[in-house]
Amino acid sequence: VVVGNGCLARYAVIEASAVNGKTLELVEFVLERVLENEIPLKRILPVTVSEKATAGLRMHLRKKLRE
């Protein structure tokens, strides 16, 4: 998320109905911050609504980071 002055926003909210790709959107958002903006993963706090979504997020992030 880029704000008016060209700086990265500190917070982002990804909101959508069930089975709408939020986890994959969140994965892409996190990867962009880590790989393109060089923000350490330990400085990012992704929050999901369920343990299943959290497990999916972990799995997808690990897979993408290995690529």
Side-chain angles (χ1 to χ4, degrees):
V1 177
V2 178
V3 293
N5 63 2
C7 295
L8 289 175
R10 292 182 55 133
Y11 307 99
V13 175
I14 300 171
E15 184 177 23
S17 60
V19 192
N20 211 357
K22 293 180 296 294
T23 300
L24 294 179
E25 183 72 26
L26 188 53
V27 166
E28 292 302 319
F29 182 84
V30 170
L31 287 174
E32 183 178 328
R33 299 301 168 274
V34 171
L35 301 175
E36 295 178 19
N37 303 116
E38 299 179 2
I39 297 173
L41 189 55
K42 67 181 179 181
R43 305 250 328 156
I44 300 172
L45 176 63
V47 177
T48 64
V49 297
S50 70
E51 290 181 20
K52 182 178 179 181
T54 301
L57 177 64
R58 279 192 198 117
M59 180 187 72
H60 290 297
L61 273 173
R62 287 179 180 141
K63 180 180 176 185
K64 291 283 191 177
L65 287 169
R66 288 183 186 132
E67 293 177 357

Short mmCIF file of all heavy atoms in Angstrom, two decimals:
data_model
loop_
_atom_site.label_atom_id
_atom_site.label_comp_id
_atom_site.label_asym_id
_atom_site.label_seq_id
_atom_site.Cartn_x
_atom_site.Cartn_y
_atom_site.Cartn_z
N VAL A 1 0.86 -1.17 0.00
CA VAL A 1 0.00 0.00 0.00
C VAL A 1 0.89 1.22 0.00
O VAL A 1 1.75 1.36 0.86
CB VAL A 1 -0.91 0.02 1.25
CG1 VAL A 1 -1.74 1.26 1.27
CG2 VAL A 1 -1.76 -1.23 1.30
N VAL A 2 0.74 2.08 -0.98
CA VAL A 2 1.53 3.30 -1.05
C VAL A 2 0.61 4.47 -0.76
O VAL A 2 -0.47 4.59 -1.33
CB VAL A 2 2.17 3.46 -2.45
CG1 VAL A 2 2.95 4.75 -2.54
CG2 VAL A 2 3.08 2.27 -2.75
N VAL A 3 1.07 5.34 0.13
CA VAL A 3 0.27 6.52 0.47
C VAL A 3 0.73 7.71 -0.37
O VAL A 3 1.70 7.63 -1.10
CB VAL A 3 0.35 6.82 1.98
CG1 VAL A 3 -0.32 5.73 2.78
CG2 VAL A 3 1.78 6.99 2.43
N GLY A 4 0.04 8.83 -0.23
CA GLY A 4 0.26 10.00 -1.08
C GLY A 4 1.68 10.46 -1.24
O GLY A 4 2.08 10.90 -2.30
N ASN A 5 2.50 10.38 -0.22
CA ASN A 5 3.87 10.88 -0.32
C ASN A 5 4.84 9.84 -0.87
O ASN A 5 6.04 10.04 -0.87
CB ASN A 5 4.35 11.39 1.04
CG ASN A 5 4.41 10.30 2.09
OD1 ASN A 5 4.13 9.14 1.81
ND2 ASN A 5 4.77 10.68 3.30
N GLY A 6 4.32 8.69 -1.34
CA GLY A 6 5.16 7.65 -1.92
C GLY A 6 5.73 6.67 -0.91
O GLY A 6 6.41 5.73 -1.28
N CYS A 7 5.46 6.86 0.37
CA CYS A 7 5.95 5.96 1.41
C CYS A 7 4.98 4.79 1.59
O CYS A 7 3.79 4.92 1.34
CB CYS A 7 6.09 6.69 2.74
SG CYS A 7 7.32 7.99 2.69
N LEU A 8 5.52 3.69 2.04
CA LEU A 8 4.67 2.53 2.32
C LEU A 8 3.83 2.80 3.55
O LEU A 8 4.30 3.36 4.53
CB LEU A 8 5.52 1.29 2.57
CG LEU A 8 6.23 0.72 1.36
CD1 LEU A 8 7.13 -0.43 1.78
CD2 LEU A 8 5.23 0.23 0.33
N ALA A 9 2.59 2.41 3.48
CA ALA A 9 1.71 2.54 4.63
C ALA A 9 2.13 1.54 5.70
O ALA A 9 2.64 0.47 5.39
CB ALA A 9 0.26 2.28 4.21
N ARG A 10 1.91 1.86 6.93
CA ARG A 10 2.29 0.98 8.04
C ARG A 10 1.28 -0.13 8.25
O ARG A 10 1.60 -1.15 8.82
CB ARG A 10 2.42 1.79 9.32
CG ARG A 10 3.60 2.74 9.27
CD ARG A 10 3.70 3.47 10.58
NE ARG A 10 3.78 2.50 11.66
CZ ARG A 10 4.65 2.54 12.65
NH1 ARG A 10 5.50 3.51 12.70
NH2 ARG A 10 4.64 1.62 13.59
N TYR A 11 0.05 0.07 7.84
CA TYR A 11 -1.01 -0.89 8.08
C TYR A 11 -1.82 -1.12 6.80
O TYR A 11 -1.95 -0.22 5.99
CB TYR A 11 -1.97 -0.39 9.16
CG TYR A 11 -1.26 0.02 10.43
CD1 TYR A 11 -0.99 1.35 10.69
CD2 TYR A 11 -0.85 -0.94 11.35
CE1 TYR A 11 -0.33 1.73 11.86
CE2 TYR A 11 -0.18 -0.57 12.51
CZ TYR A 11 0.07 0.76 12.75
OH TYR A 11 0.73 1.13 13.89
N ALA A 12 -2.33 -2.30 6.67
CA ALA A 12 -3.23 -2.60 5.56
C ALA A 12 -4.29 -3.56 6.06
O ALA A 12 -4.02 -4.41 6.89
CB ALA A 12 -2.46 -3.23 4.41
N VAL A 13 -5.49 -3.42 5.55
CA VAL A 13 -6.59 -4.31 5.90
C VAL A 13 -7.06 -4.97 4.61
O VAL A 13 -7.38 -4.29 3.64
CB VAL A 13 -7.75 -3.56 6.56
CG1 VAL A 13 -8.93 -4.50 6.81
CG2 VAL A 13 -7.30 -2.90 7.86
N ILE A 14 -7.05 -6.30 4.61
CA ILE A 14 -7.58 -7.04 3.48
C ILE A 14 -8.85 -7.70 3.98
O ILE A 14 -8.81 -8.55 4.87
CB ILE A 14 -6.57 -8.09 2.98
CG1 ILE A 14 -5.29 -7.40 2.54
CG2 ILE A 14 -7.17 -8.94 1.86
CD1 ILE A 14 -4.15 -8.34 2.24
N GLU A 15 -9.98 -7.30 3.41
CA GLU A 15 -11.26 -7.78 3.89
C GLU A 15 -12.08 -8.30 2.73
O GLU A 15 -12.16 -7.64 1.68
CB GLU A 15 -12.00 -6.62 4.58
CG GLU A 15 -13.30 -6.99 5.19
CD GLU A 15 -13.93 -5.80 5.90
OE1 GLU A 15 -13.60 -4.65 5.57
OE2 GLU A 15 -14.74 -6.03 6.79
N ALA A 16 -12.65 -9.49 2.90
CA ALA A 16 -13.49 -10.07 1.86
C ALA A 16 -14.35 -11.17 2.47
O ALA A 16 -14.08 -11.63 3.58
CB ALA A 16 -12.63 -10.64 0.74
N SER A 17 -15.35 -11.58 1.72
CA SER A 17 -16.21 -12.65 2.22
C SER A 17 -15.48 -13.99 2.18
O SER A 17 -14.38 -14.10 1.63
CB SER A 17 -17.49 -12.72 1.39
OG SER A 17 -17.17 -12.97 0.05
N ALA A 18 -16.10 -15.01 2.75
CA ALA A 18 -15.49 -16.34 2.82
C ALA A 18 -15.14 -16.86 1.42
O ALA A 18 -15.81 -16.55 0.45
CB ALA A 18 -16.45 -17.30 3.51
N VAL A 19 -14.07 -17.66 1.36
CA VAL A 19 -13.60 -18.30 0.13
C VAL A 19 -13.45 -17.27 -0.99
O VAL A 19 -13.97 -17.42 -2.08
CB VAL A 19 -14.55 -19.45 -0.31
CG1 VAL A 19 -13.90 -20.28 -1.39
CG2 VAL A 19 -14.93 -20.32 0.86
N ASN A 20 -12.71 -16.22 -0.67
CA ASN A 20 -12.55 -15.15 -1.65
C ASN A 20 -11.09 -14.83 -1.91
O ASN A 20 -10.78 -13.79 -2.46
CB ASN A 20 -13.31 -13.91 -1.17
CG ASN A 20 -13.85 -13.08 -2.30
OD1 ASN A 20 -13.62 -13.38 -3.45
ND2 ASN A 20 -14.56 -12.03 -1.96
N GLY A 21 -10.17 -15.70 -1.46
CA GLY A 21 -8.76 -15.51 -1.77
C GLY A 21 -7.99 -14.58 -0.85
O GLY A 21 -6.93 -14.08 -1.22
N LYS A 22 -8.52 -14.33 0.35
CA LYS A 22 -7.82 -13.43 1.27
C LYS A 22 -6.45 -13.94 1.65
O LYS A 22 -5.49 -13.16 1.71
CB LYS A 22 -8.65 -13.22 2.55
CG LYS A 22 -9.94 -12.47 2.34
CD LYS A 22 -10.69 -12.32 3.64
CE LYS A 22 -11.14 -13.61 4.24
NZ LYS A 22 -12.14 -14.38 3.52
N THR A 23 -6.32 -15.24 1.88
CA THR A 23 -5.04 -15.80 2.31
C THR A 23 -3.99 -15.59 1.23
O THR A 23 -2.88 -15.14 1.53
CB THR A 23 -5.18 -17.29 2.66
OG1 THR A 23 -6.13 -17.42 3.72
CG2 THR A 23 -3.85 -17.88 3.11
N LEU A 24 -4.32 -15.88 -0.01
CA LEU A 24 -3.35 -15.70 -1.09
C LEU A 24 -3.03 -14.23 -1.30
O LEU A 24 -1.89 -13.87 -1.60
CB LEU A 24 -3.86 -16.35 -2.37
CG LEU A 24 -3.98 -17.87 -2.32
CD1 LEU A 24 -4.51 -18.41 -3.65
CD2 LEU A 24 -2.66 -18.52 -1.98
N GLU A 25 -4.02 -13.37 -1.13
CA GLU A 25 -3.78 -11.93 -1.23
C GLU A 25 -2.83 -11.48 -0.12
O GLU A 25 -1.91 -10.68 -0.36
CB GLU A 25 -5.11 -11.18 -1.12
CG GLU A 25 -4.99 -9.69 -1.29
CD GLU A 25 -4.69 -9.25 -2.70
OE1 GLU A 25 -5.04 -9.98 -3.64
OE2 GLU A 25 -4.10 -8.16 -2.85
N LEU A 26 -3.04 -11.99 1.07
CA LEU A 26 -2.16 -11.66 2.19
C LEU A 26 -0.75 -12.18 1.96
O LEU A 26 0.23 -11.49 2.26
CB LEU A 26 -2.74 -12.21 3.49
CG LEU A 26 -2.07 -11.82 4.79
CD1 LEU A 26 -1.92 -10.31 4.93
CD2 LEU A 26 -2.84 -12.38 5.97
N VAL A 27 -0.62 -13.38 1.40
CA VAL A 27 0.70 -13.94 1.08
C VAL A 27 1.43 -13.01 0.11
O VAL A 27 2.59 -12.67 0.32
CB VAL A 27 0.56 -15.36 0.47
CG1 VAL A 27 1.86 -15.82 -0.17
CG2 VAL A 27 0.13 -16.35 1.54
N GLU A 28 0.76 -12.59 -0.95
CA GLU A 28 1.38 -11.70 -1.93
C GLU A 28 1.77 -10.36 -1.30
O GLU A 28 2.83 -9.81 -1.59
CB GLU A 28 0.45 -11.48 -3.13
CG GLU A 28 0.25 -12.73 -3.96
CD GLU A 28 1.54 -13.32 -4.51
OE1 GLU A 28 2.42 -12.56 -4.96
OE2 GLU A 28 1.67 -14.56 -4.48
N PHE A 29 0.91 -9.85 -0.44
CA PHE A 29 1.20 -8.59 0.25
C PHE A 29 2.46 -8.71 1.11
O PHE A 29 3.35 -7.87 1.06
CB PHE A 29 -0.01 -8.20 1.12
CG PHE A 29 0.15 -6.90 1.83
CD1 PHE A 29 -0.13 -5.70 1.20
CD2 PHE A 29 0.58 -6.87 3.15
CE1 PHE A 29 0.02 -4.50 1.87
CE2 PHE A 29 0.73 -5.67 3.83
CZ PHE A 29 0.46 -4.48 3.18
N VAL A 30 2.54 -9.79 1.89
CA VAL A 30 3.70 -10.01 2.76
C VAL A 30 4.97 -10.21 1.92
O VAL A 30 6.01 -9.62 2.20
CB VAL A 30 3.47 -11.21 3.70
CG1 VAL A 30 4.74 -11.60 4.42
CG2 VAL A 30 2.37 -10.89 4.71
N LEU A 31 4.89 -11.03 0.88
CA LEU A 31 6.05 -11.27 0.03
C LEU A 31 6.57 -10.00 -0.62
O LEU A 31 7.77 -9.79 -0.71
CB LEU A 31 5.71 -12.30 -1.04
CG LEU A 31 5.59 -13.73 -0.57
CD1 LEU A 31 5.11 -14.62 -1.71
CD2 LEU A 31 6.88 -14.25 0.01
N GLU A 32 5.66 -9.15 -1.05
CA GLU A 32 6.08 -7.88 -1.65
C GLU A 32 6.85 -7.04 -0.64
O GLU A 32 7.88 -6.45 -0.96
CB GLU A 32 4.87 -7.11 -2.15
CG GLU A 32 5.24 -5.82 -2.85
CD GLU A 32 4.02 -5.09 -3.38
OE1 GLU A 32 3.04 -5.75 -3.77
OE2 GLU A 32 4.07 -3.85 -3.41
N ARG A 33 6.34 -6.99 0.59
CA ARG A 33 7.04 -6.20 1.62
C ARG A 33 8.43 -6.79 1.92
O ARG A 33 9.39 -6.06 2.07
CB ARG A 33 6.23 -6.15 2.91
CG ARG A 33 4.86 -5.50 2.78
CD ARG A 33 4.99 -4.06 2.28
NE ARG A 33 3.75 -3.48 1.87
CZ ARG A 33 3.19 -3.60 0.66
NH1 ARG A 33 3.74 -4.34 -0.26
NH2 ARG A 33 2.08 -2.97 0.36
N VAL A 34 8.51 -8.11 2.00
CA VAL A 34 9.77 -8.76 2.35
C VAL A 34 10.78 -8.69 1.20
O VAL A 34 11.93 -8.31 1.39
CB VAL A 34 9.53 -10.23 2.76
CG1 VAL A 34 10.83 -10.99 2.92
CG2 VAL A 34 8.71 -10.30 4.05
N LEU A 35 10.35 -9.06 0.00
CA LEU A 35 11.28 -9.19 -1.12
C LEU A 35 11.56 -7.88 -1.85
O LEU A 35 12.70 -7.61 -2.22
CB LEU A 35 10.75 -10.23 -2.11
CG LEU A 35 10.55 -11.63 -1.53
CD1 LEU A 35 9.90 -12.55 -2.56
CD2 LEU A 35 11.86 -12.21 -1.02
N GLU A 36 10.55 -7.06 -2.04
CA GLU A 36 10.75 -5.83 -2.80
C GLU A 36 11.09 -4.63 -1.93
O GLU A 36 11.86 -3.77 -2.33
CB GLU A 36 9.51 -5.54 -3.64
CG GLU A 36 9.27 -6.58 -4.72
CD GLU A 36 8.02 -6.32 -5.53
OE1 GLU A 36 7.52 -5.18 -5.52
OE2 GLU A 36 7.53 -7.27 -6.17
N ASN A 37 10.50 -4.58 -0.75
CA ASN A 37 10.70 -3.42 0.12
C ASN A 37 11.70 -3.71 1.23
O ASN A 37 11.96 -2.84 2.06
CB ASN A 37 9.37 -2.96 0.70
CG ASN A 37 8.37 -2.63 -0.38
OD1 ASN A 37 7.34 -3.27 -0.48
ND2 ASN A 37 8.67 -1.64 -1.20
N GLU A 38 12.22 -4.94 1.26
CA GLU A 38 13.25 -5.36 2.22
C GLU A 38 12.84 -5.14 3.67
O GLU A 38 13.65 -4.75 4.51
CB GLU A 38 14.58 -4.68 1.90
CG GLU A 38 15.09 -5.05 0.52
CD GLU A 38 16.40 -4.38 0.15
OE1 GLU A 38 16.97 -3.65 0.99
OE2 GLU A 38 16.85 -4.60 -0.97
N ILE A 39 11.58 -5.38 3.96
CA ILE A 39 11.11 -5.31 5.34
C ILE A 39 11.28 -6.70 5.94
O ILE A 39 10.80 -7.68 5.37
CB ILE A 39 9.63 -4.87 5.40
CG1 ILE A 39 9.50 -3.45 4.83
CG2 ILE A 39 9.09 -4.95 6.82
CD1 ILE A 39 8.07 -2.98 4.67
N PRO A 40 11.97 -6.82 7.06
CA PRO A 40 12.17 -8.15 7.66
C PRO A 40 10.84 -8.80 8.02
O PRO A 40 9.92 -8.16 8.53
CB PRO A 40 12.98 -7.86 8.92
CG PRO A 40 13.55 -6.50 8.73
CD PRO A 40 12.60 -5.76 7.83
N LEU A 41 10.74 -10.09 7.75
CA LEU A 41 9.51 -10.83 8.04
C LEU A 41 9.11 -10.71 9.50
O LEU A 41 7.93 -10.63 9.82
CB LEU A 41 9.69 -12.30 7.65
CG LEU A 41 8.46 -13.18 7.68
CD1 LEU A 41 7.34 -12.60 6.82
CD2 LEU A 41 8.80 -14.58 7.21
N LYS A 42 10.09 -10.63 10.39
CA LYS A 42 9.78 -10.53 11.82
C LYS A 42 9.11 -9.20 12.18
O LYS A 42 8.58 -9.06 13.26
CB LYS A 42 11.04 -10.75 12.66
CG LYS A 42 12.08 -9.67 12.52
CD LYS A 42 13.29 -9.97 13.36
CE LYS A 42 14.34 -8.89 13.21
NZ LYS A 42 15.52 -9.18 14.00
N ARG A 43 9.09 -8.23 11.26
CA ARG A 43 8.44 -6.94 11.51
C ARG A 43 7.02 -6.89 10.95
O ARG A 43 6.38 -5.85 10.99
CB ARG A 43 9.27 -5.82 10.90
CG ARG A 43 10.70 -5.79 11.36
CD ARG A 43 11.10 -4.69 12.23
NE ARG A 43 10.39 -3.46 11.97
CZ ARG A 43 10.24 -2.54 12.88
NH1 ARG A 43 10.75 -2.71 14.06
NH2 ARG A 43 9.60 -1.44 12.61
N ILE A 44 6.55 -8.00 10.39
CA ILE A 44 5.23 -8.05 9.79
C ILE A 44 4.33 -8.97 10.61
O ILE A 44 4.73 -10.07 10.96
CB ILE A 44 5.32 -8.55 8.33
CG1 ILE A 44 6.21 -7.61 7.51
CG2 ILE A 44 3.93 -8.69 7.72
CD1 ILE A 44 6.51 -8.12 6.13
N LEU A 45 3.15 -8.50 10.93
CA LEU A 45 2.20 -9.28 11.72
C LEU A 45 0.92 -9.51 10.93
O LEU A 45 -0.01 -8.72 10.97
CB LEU A 45 1.87 -8.58 13.04
CG LEU A 45 0.83 -9.25 13.92
CD1 LEU A 45 1.33 -10.62 14.38
CD2 LEU A 45 0.49 -8.37 15.10
N PRO A 46 0.89 -10.61 10.17
CA PRO A 46 -0.36 -10.92 9.48
C PRO A 46 -1.35 -11.55 10.47
O PRO A 46 -0.97 -12.39 11.28
CB PRO A 46 0.04 -11.91 8.39
CG PRO A 46 1.37 -12.45 8.80
CD PRO A 46 1.95 -11.51 9.81
N VAL A 47 -2.59 -11.14 10.41
CA VAL A 47 -3.61 -11.67 11.31
C VAL A 47 -4.72 -12.28 10.47
O VAL A 47 -5.20 -11.68 9.52
CB VAL A 47 -4.19 -10.54 12.19
CG1 VAL A 47 -5.30 -11.07 13.08
CG2 VAL A 47 -3.09 -9.90 13.02
N THR A 48 -5.12 -13.50 10.83
CA THR A 48 -6.21 -14.17 10.13
C THR A 48 -7.34 -14.43 11.12
O THR A 48 -7.19 -14.25 12.32
CB THR A 48 -5.74 -15.50 9.52
OG1 THR A 48 -5.36 -16.39 10.57
CG2 THR A 48 -4.56 -15.29 8.58
N VAL A 49 -8.47 -14.91 10.59
CA VAL A 49 -9.64 -15.10 11.43
C VAL A 49 -9.79 -16.52 11.97
O VAL A 49 -10.66 -16.77 12.79
CB VAL A 49 -10.94 -14.72 10.69
CG1 VAL A 49 -10.94 -13.25 10.34
CG2 VAL A 49 -11.09 -15.56 9.43
N SER A 50 -8.94 -17.44 11.52
CA SER A 50 -9.06 -18.81 11.99
C SER A 50 -7.71 -19.50 11.98
O SER A 50 -6.77 -19.06 11.31
CB SER A 50 -10.04 -19.61 11.11
OG SER A 50 -9.46 -19.83 9.83
N GLU A 51 -7.61 -20.59 12.73
CA GLU A 51 -6.37 -21.37 12.74
C GLU A 51 -6.12 -22.01 11.38
O GLU A 51 -4.98 -22.13 10.95
CB GLU A 51 -6.44 -22.43 13.83
CG GLU A 51 -6.38 -21.84 15.23
CD GLU A 51 -6.42 -22.89 16.32
OE1 GLU A 51 -6.13 -24.06 16.04
OE2 GLU A 51 -6.75 -22.51 17.45
N LYS A 52 -7.19 -22.38 10.70
CA LYS A 52 -7.06 -22.97 9.36
C LYS A 52 -6.44 -21.96 8.39
O LYS A 52 -5.55 -22.29 7.61
CB LYS A 52 -8.42 -23.44 8.86
CG LYS A 52 -8.36 -24.11 7.52
CD LYS A 52 -9.74 -24.59 7.09
CE LYS A 52 -9.69 -25.26 5.73
NZ LYS A 52 -11.00 -25.72 5.28
N ALA A 53 -6.91 -20.73 8.45
CA ALA A 53 -6.37 -19.68 7.58
C ALA A 53 -4.92 -19.39 7.93
O ALA A 53 -4.09 -19.16 7.05
CB ALA A 53 -7.21 -18.41 7.68
N THR A 54 -4.58 -19.40 9.21
CA THR A 54 -3.21 -19.18 9.64
C THR A 54 -2.30 -20.29 9.12
O THR A 54 -1.20 -20.03 8.63
CB THR A 54 -3.12 -19.11 11.17
OG1 THR A 54 -3.95 -18.03 11.61
CG2 THR A 54 -1.70 -18.87 11.64
N ALA A 55 -2.75 -21.54 9.21
CA ALA A 55 -1.97 -22.67 8.69
C ALA A 55 -1.77 -22.53 7.19
O ALA A 55 -0.67 -22.77 6.67
CB ALA A 55 -2.66 -23.98 9.02
N GLY A 56 -2.82 -22.13 6.47
CA GLY A 56 -2.71 -21.92 5.03
C GLY A 56 -1.74 -20.80 4.70
O GLY A 56 -0.94 -20.90 3.76
N LEU A 57 -1.78 -19.73 5.47
CA LEU A 57 -0.87 -18.61 5.28
C LEU A 57 0.57 -19.06 5.45
O LEU A 57 1.44 -18.76 4.62
CB LEU A 57 -1.22 -17.48 6.26
CG LEU A 57 -0.32 -16.27 6.23
CD1 LEU A 57 -0.41 -15.56 4.90
CD2 LEU A 57 -0.68 -15.32 7.37
N ARG A 58 0.85 -19.77 6.52
CA ARG A 58 2.21 -20.28 6.76
C ARG A 58 2.68 -21.16 5.61
O ARG A 58 3.79 -21.02 5.12
CB ARG A 58 2.25 -21.09 8.05
CG ARG A 58 2.36 -20.29 9.28
CD ARG A 58 2.70 -21.21 10.46
NE ARG A 58 2.39 -20.53 11.68
CZ ARG A 58 1.48 -20.92 12.56
NH1 ARG A 58 0.81 -22.03 12.36
NH2 ARG A 58 1.26 -20.23 13.65
N MET A 59 1.81 -22.09 5.20
CA MET A 59 2.17 -23.03 4.14
C MET A 59 2.49 -22.28 2.84
O MET A 59 3.52 -22.53 2.21
CB MET A 59 1.02 -24.00 3.90
CG MET A 59 1.30 -25.02 2.81
SD MET A 59 -0.14 -26.02 2.40
CE MET A 59 -1.14 -24.80 1.54
N HIS A 60 1.63 -21.35 2.45
CA HIS A 60 1.84 -20.62 1.21
C HIS A 60 3.07 -19.73 1.28
O HIS A 60 3.83 -19.62 0.31
CB HIS A 60 0.61 -19.79 0.85
CG HIS A 60 -0.57 -20.61 0.43
ND1 HIS A 60 -0.56 -21.41 -0.69
CD2 HIS A 60 -1.80 -20.76 0.99
CE1 HIS A 60 -1.72 -22.01 -0.82
NE2 HIS A 60 -2.49 -21.65 0.21
N LEU A 61 3.29 -19.07 2.42
CA LEU A 61 4.48 -18.22 2.56
C LEU A 61 5.76 -19.04 2.47
O LEU A 61 6.71 -18.66 1.77
CB LEU A 61 4.45 -17.47 3.90
CG LEU A 61 3.72 -16.16 3.92
CD1 LEU A 61 3.61 -15.63 5.34
CD2 LEU A 61 4.38 -15.14 3.01
N ARG A 62 5.81 -20.16 3.16
CA ARG A 62 6.99 -21.02 3.10
C ARG A 62 7.26 -21.49 1.68
O ARG A 62 8.40 -21.47 1.21
CB ARG A 62 6.83 -22.21 4.04
CG ARG A 62 6.97 -21.84 5.48
CD ARG A 62 6.79 -23.02 6.39
NE ARG A 62 6.93 -22.63 7.78
CZ ARG A 62 6.20 -23.09 8.75
NH1 ARG A 62 5.29 -24.03 8.54
NH2 ARG A 62 6.38 -22.67 9.99
N LYS A 63 6.20 -21.91 1.01
CA LYS A 63 6.34 -22.39 -0.38
C LYS A 63 6.89 -21.29 -1.28
O LYS A 63 7.83 -21.51 -2.04
CB LYS A 63 4.99 -22.88 -0.89
CG LYS A 63 5.03 -23.39 -2.30
CD LYS A 63 3.65 -23.87 -2.74
CE LYS A 63 3.67 -24.30 -4.19
NZ LYS A 63 2.35 -24.64 -4.68
N LYS A 64 6.32 -20.11 -1.19
CA LYS A 64 6.75 -18.99 -2.04
C LYS A 64 8.17 -18.54 -1.71
O LYS A 64 8.92 -18.19 -2.62
CB LYS A 64 5.78 -17.82 -1.91
CG LYS A 64 4.43 -18.06 -2.48
CD LYS A 64 4.47 -17.94 -3.98
CE LYS A 64 3.07 -17.92 -4.55
NZ LYS A 64 3.07 -17.73 -5.98
N LEU A 65 8.53 -18.54 -0.45
CA LEU A 65 9.87 -18.10 -0.07
C LEU A 65 10.94 -19.09 -0.52
O LEU A 65 12.09 -18.71 -0.74
CB LEU A 65 9.96 -17.87 1.44
CG LEU A 65 9.23 -16.62 1.92
CD1 LEU A 65 9.14 -16.61 3.43
CD2 LEU A 65 9.94 -15.37 1.42
N ARG A 66 10.57 -20.36 -0.68
CA ARG A 66 11.51 -21.36 -1.17
C ARG A 66 11.74 -21.25 -2.68
O ARG A 66 12.74 -21.73 -3.19
CB ARG A 66 11.02 -22.76 -0.84
CG ARG A 66 11.14 -23.09 0.62
CD ARG A 66 10.70 -24.52 0.92
NE ARG A 66 10.69 -24.74 2.34
CZ ARG A 66 9.69 -25.30 3.00
NH1 ARG A 66 8.62 -25.73 2.37
NH2 ARG A 66 9.76 -25.45 4.30
N GLU A 67 10.78 -20.66 -3.39
CA GLU A 67 10.88 -20.53 -4.86
C GLU A 67 11.96 -19.56 -5.26
O GLU A 67 12.32 -18.67 -4.62
CB GLU A 67 9.55 -20.09 -5.46
CG GLU A 67 8.47 -21.13 -5.32
CD GLU A 67 7.12 -20.66 -5.86
OE1 GLU A 67 6.98 -19.51 -6.31
OE2 GLU A 67 6.18 -21.46 -5.79
#
